[in-house]
Amino acid sequence: MSFFNRPHYTSDATQFIQQLKQQRPTLEAEQRAGRALLWDKNVDRSASREFRAGDVPQKPYVYQTDAG
């Protein structure tokens, strides 16, 4: 027996996630669908370039009024 060998340990969080996955087997598929809905998008690079080209430089202090 090794001196460094310890009994198998799983944290409460890991146990909770494993139990949740057992109760809801479709959970990971639902998460992937939600991610695809919000994040996994194709980027139109030409539109992005046009948006960046339309940027207006900001003044150092945006709340200062122009002294007419």
Side-chain angles (χ1 to χ4, degrees), residues 12-65:
D12 291 340
T14 302
Q15 290 175 10
F16 171 75
I17 291 172
Q18 290 172 347
Q19 183 182 24
L20 186 63
K21 287 182 179 181
Q22 287 176 354
Q23 291 173 354
R24 295 178 55 193
T26 61
L27 180 65
E28 290 185 37
E30 292 171 15
Q31 288 176 326
R32 283 191 207 100
R35 175 186 168 156
L37 180 67
L38 297 175
W39 294 101
D40 297 338
K41 303 284 183 187
N42 292 330
V43 176
D44 184 1
R45 297 195 186 277
S46 64
S48 294
R49 258 183 262 133
E50 291 178 16
F51 290 141
R52 283 195 303 273
D55 282 348
V56 176
Q58 186 173 349
K59 296 178 183 179
Y61 184 68
V62 295
Y63 298 109
Q64 183 175 357
T65 57

